Amino acid sequence: MHGIPIFLLLLGTLIEGEVVDSITGLPLSHVRVEGKMGMVYTDSLGRFRMDALPGETLYFYRTGYREKFISVNLPFPSRIFLIPVIYKLPGVLVVERKKKEEGREIDEYFVKNLSTFSDPWRSLEVLPSVVSQYELSSLLSIRGGRIEETGYMIDGIPVAFPFHYFGLIGMLPPSEIRAIRVYSSYVPPGYGGYLSGVVDVKTVEKRKGLEASLSLLDGYLSWGMEEGRVGMRYLVVGEFMKRNLEGLYLYPTICDFFIRGRNFYLLYARESFEGEGYGVSMKGKVTQGFVYFNILPFRIYSSFMKDSHTLPDGEGEEFLLTPGCVLKWKPIHAGIEWVRHKREGFHPLYHTSLDAEYIHGFVAWMGDGDIEGWHMEGGGRMDFYPPGRVLSYSLRCSRKNFYFSSLLSSQYFPEENEIKTAVSKGMGFEWEKGFLEVFTRKISDGRFAWGVEGYFFTGFLVLSLSLWDTNDEKMRIPFVVNGFLRIPWRCYEFVLRGIVIGERVFPIPFGSDCIYPEIPVYARVDAGVRLCFSRFFAGLDIYNLTDKRSTVMYLWEFDAGKLYHVYSLPRLLYVRLGVKL
């Protein structure tokens, strides 16, 4: 340890790099990297970032590759090569199969290029079985489940409601996201607590320099340094909607501010809105915040929301959000997790969270391994809710291209003081360019759903198809078809995107209850052209190329007791400019 400063011995140092296959040179995802200060997994690009003590030994492991040990000395190598495990038999060459990742993921490219209204949550619709509530909402349904049964996380930390304006748009700007992963058929035990699935956003950890962008909808500015990033986004979506959308009466103005450090992330958001129509007059402000700290082996986090607005019958009323429609917002939510990793066997995780109305705790344990040619991963989870405790489990088994999964999940609904459970099973085939799966889900309240989902992607084309059937009269989506085509040419790129959603039944808030109207079939085609250089970006998108209008939601006029149509956006030109310094 000669030449290493004393303060590094006390505080540790930040280690980062890329893990690749020693033969192909391709990046390796889901490689376990362990040290005395904790454990991390490489992302989809093979990258990792963690704290380590100078002189200690880091351990790299992934099924199908030889273990590797590297001592932490400065400078640390930027690329780590893992050697595949190869077994030689007479006349046969057998290479141990690489581990498949759980969850479905989209990377930075899709987050930035499929984001309607500069909203990354909408880009998830390119994945099968993920659909937004309607065109003007980012609240997501997974495999036909109700929107309140979908969980949201930022860097693996649960966040209560990461949206603005009743779910119109997400709080995170697309430029601050490196990937979004959706867990549906297999949900790791640490991500449990929801009936339909979980959406986990991976934020950008390190990006030096100045980055700015400007569009007709928002402005974005950030500055990255060695130890973190700071930035903000200002949206004028309300003015845009006022000019182009028929039927709405509330128009928001939104501002997001964020700070990222080595072991923490802070997101602060404010919005204001006002409008009048359909028997309702409202104006107000909403403030939200989310913060987490990684102090190994602990993860500490908290989120809060404060609102003040005026309704016809007084001030300070709660939003028109009711049980069974969307999540009921709480003023504060906080939690702490203790993660203890071992090199072999299961990895336990202990969690306690404090909500405004109740305390929730869970103990989870998870692990993976190979048995007789099968790769198995999963674990168990014990949740402690106010009404009682619930035991759940996750299991995924794969062999070559075949896999099956079984999941028992639970969710607590404090408004009804009720615990619901769901049993989900899936079976399918997956290959390097896609997958095909059949699934079922049965919920303790009597709801049942089954479906088929398929996904195919190459460097230029993405296709996804989802078919569902359910006995749920309050939430129904028969099918969704998505397509995305990109044609690169020199520094230009041409893109074409299409989406078709079958006739849906979605809940609409009405006083202290909900109504469930049918929303007609909705289809749209978007096109765009981008000009990309190393430090400059320009894009021109044509939204709703065919200029087809259809009903995407309904509004209820309180005085007259009538439903009114809100139509989709007309053909629009959307210009974006960006620069990196």
Side-chain angles (χ1 to χ4, degrees):
M1 295 184 291
H2 178 70
I4 299 177
I6 296 299
F7 73 90
L8 289 180
L9 297 176
L10 299 176
L11 300 178
T13 187
L14 183 64
I15 297 298
E16 57 184 346
E18 179 188 17
V19 183
V20 300
D21 188 298
S22 63
I23 297 177
T24 65
L26 297 176
L28 297 176
S29 60
H30 211 74
V31 176
R32 193 162 75 229
V33 185
E34 297 186 31
K36 294 181 179 178
M37 300 186 69
M39 181 184 74
V40 298
Y41 284 87
T42 57
D43 61 17
S44 59
L45 299 178
R47 300 172 302 191
F48 71 94
R49 189 170 184 259
M50 66 182 300
D51 291 313
L53 296 174
E56 75 162 294
T57 299
L58 296 184
Y59 167 77
F60 295 81
Y61 172 77
R62 174 173 165 162
T63 303
Y65 290 85
R66 294 181 184 175
E67 301 175 351
K68 190 159 189 174
F69 299 87
I70 298 180
S71 179
V72 178
N73 294 305
L74 301 179
F76 191 80
S78 60
R79 302 189 84 190
I80 292 91
F81 297 89
L82 294 188
I83 302 174
V85 177
I86 300 176
Y87 304 97
K88 292 185 179 181
L89 298 175
V92 179
L93 179 65
V94 180
V95 180
E96 186 175 337
R97 188 181 67 86
K98 298 180 180 179
K99 177 185 179 298
K100 297 286 186 179
E101 289 190 71
E102 69 278 0
R104 315 299 183 191
E105 182 178 283
I106 60 172
D107 57 16
E108 291 178 275
Y109 175 83
F110 285 106
V111 170
K112 293 180 180 179
N113 289 280
L114 290 176
S115 299
T116 308
F117 292 133
S118 296
D119 183 14
W121 303 99
R122 300 175 193 271
S123 59
L124 287 171
E125 288 187 306
V126 74
L127 295 175
S129 296
V130 180
V131 60
S132 61
Q133 184 181 17
Y134 37 76
E135 187 189 25
L136 301 175
S137 174
S138 293
L139 299 171
L140 299 175
S141 166
I142 298 179
R143 291 186 166 178
R146 297 179 183 178
I147 52 179
E148 70 269 18
E149 297 169 353
T150 299
Y152 300 94
M153 294 189 173
I154 298 178
D155 293 327
I157 306 295
V159 55
F161 197 79
F163 302 101
H164 288 292
Y165 188 66
F166 305 97
L168 170 69
I169 191 170
M171 290 197 296
L172 285 170
S175 297
E176 286 304 308
I177 296 176
R178 60 180 172 86
I180 307 179
R181 175 160 292 191
V182 176
Y183 297 95
S184 53
S185 64
Y186 173 79
V187 181
Y191 286 64
Y194 304 95
L195 296 183
S196 295
V198 176
V199 177
D200 185 23
V201 176
K202 304 296 184 183
T203 59
V204 174
E205 296 183 352
K206 184 179 180 182
R207 185 184 289 160
K208 293 183 180 180
L210 177 69
E211 186 173 349
S213 65
L214 182 65
S215 75
L216 297 178
L217 297 176
D218 67 347
Y220 166 79
L221 179 66
S222 70
W223 174 256
M225 298 158 283
E226 181 68 29
E227 296 299 324
R229 292 170 58 77
V230 60
M232 69 171 297
R233 177 180 65 160
Y234 186 80
L235 296 101
V236 289
V237 176
E239 293 299 322
F240 180 84
M241 294 167 59
K242 187 182 298 184
R243 294 193 303 268
N244 298 289
L245 191 63
E246 302 175 13
L248 282 186
Y249 59 91
L250 291 176
Y251 306 105
T253 300
I254 299 168
C255 182
D256 294 331
F257 176 77
F258 65 89
I259 300 177
R260 166 172 285 285
R262 180 186 293 185
N263 296 312
F264 73 91
Y265 185 81
L266 170 66
L267 178 63
Y268 179 78
R270 288 179 62 89
E271 64 181 275
S272 60
F273 52 88
E274 60 180 335
E276 184 173 355
Y278 300 106
V280 175
S281 175
M282 181 189 293
K283 63 179 180 179
K285 297 180 180 179
V286 178
T287 302
Q288 298 186 69
F290 170 74
V291 62
Y292 73 77
F293 297 89
N294 280 324
I295 307 175
L296 297 175
F298 296 101
R299 301 194 303 179
I300 305 172
Y301 55 89
S302 179
S303 59
F304 73 92
M305 187 182 69
K306 180 181 179 181
D307 66 89
S308 59
H309 56 280
T310 303
L311 290 171
D313 55 353
E315 294 191 11
E317 298 287 340
E318 286 195 356
F319 287 95
L320 303 178
L321 305 178
T322 56
C325 294
V326 291
L327 290 173
K328 185 177 180 181
W329 293 0
K330 305 291 193 307
I332 190 170
H333 174 85
I336 183 171
E337 297 181 0
W338 173 29
V339 185
R340 182 184 178 190
H341 295 290
K342 297 179 181 179
R343 181 167 299 176
E344 298 177 354
F346 289 99
H347 314 301
L349 183 148
Y350 308 90
H351 161 99
T352 299
S353 67
L354 174 64
D355 212 314
E357 299 179 1
Y358 64 93
I359 296 177
H360 167 225
F362 74 75
V363 177
W365 54 97
M366 63 204 84
D368 63 273
D370 294 298
I371 302 176
E372 298 294 332
W374 288 86
H375 180 79
M376 307 181 68
E377 54 188 318
R381 174 184 173 113
M382 177 71 77
D383 285 275
F384 300 90
Y385 301 113
R389 60 182 183 270
V390 179
L391 179 64
S392 56
Y393 67 87
S394 301
L395 176 64
R396 189 179 193 272
C397 302
S398 57
R399 183 186 181 96
K400 296 182 178 180
N401 294 92
F402 173 78
Y403 68 90
F404 69 87
S405 62
S406 181
L407 171 68
L408 172 61
S409 57
S410 66
Q411 185 172 353
Y412 174 58
F413 296 88
E415 293 84 4
E416 299 109 8
N417 193 32
E418 180 183 4
I419 301 173
K420 295 181 181 180
T421 59
V423 178
S424 304
K425 299 183 183 298
M427 180 176 62
F429 293 89
E430 57 186 350
W431 55 95
E432 293 298 326
K433 299 298 182 181
F435 65 89
L436 179 67
E437 181 175 339
V438 179
F439 67 89
T440 64
R441 180 172 62 234
K442 184 177 181 180
I443 301 178
S444 57
D445 60 7
R447 286 179 286 152
F448 178 81
W450 74 275
V452 180
E453 57 185 30
Y455 186 62
F456 172 79
F457 66 95
T458 65
F460 306 98
L461 177 67
V462 176
L463 294 173
S464 68
L465 170 66
S466 306
L467 302 172
W468 303 292
D469 189 19
T470 178
N471 62 354
D472 188 356
E473 298 297 328
K474 299 180 179 180
M475 182 77 178
R476 189 183 309 115
I477 312 170
F479 69 88
V480 178
V481 180
N482 262 287
F484 179 79
L485 175 68
R486 65 181 284 263
I487 304 175
W489 181 71
R490 295 183 179 178
C491 57
Y492 295 94
E493 184 178 68
F494 302 91
V495 298
L496 189 68
R497 189 258 175 112
I499 180 173
V500 180
I501 304 175
E503 186 177 72
R504 292 166 287 172
V505 174
F506 261 107
I508 304 296
F510 169 51
S512 60
D513 202 353
C514 285
I515 55 177
Y516 304 91
E518 292 185 352
I519 299 177
V521 175
Y522 174 67
R524 190 183 79 241
V525 176
D526 304 332
V529 59
R530 290 93 162 88
L531 178 63
C532 304
F533 297 99
S534 59
R535 297 187 180 277
F536 175 76
F537 168 86
L540 173 63
D541 292 327
I542 304 176
Y543 184 86
N544 193 3
L545 181 66
T546 58
D547 199 24
K548 183 178 180 181
R549 307 295 299 278
S550 60
T551 300
V552 293
M553 66 173 291
Y554 295 90
L555 287 176
W556 183 273
E557 183 173 350
F558 290 81
D559 293 340
K562 298 179 179 179
L563 275 178
Y564 285 85
H565 296 254
V566 176
Y567 293 101
S568 58
L569 290 168
R571 182 190 297 122
L572 298 171
L573 294 180
Y574 177 54
V575 181
R576 291 181 289 169
L577 299 173
V579 62
K580 295 180 181 180
L581 301 176

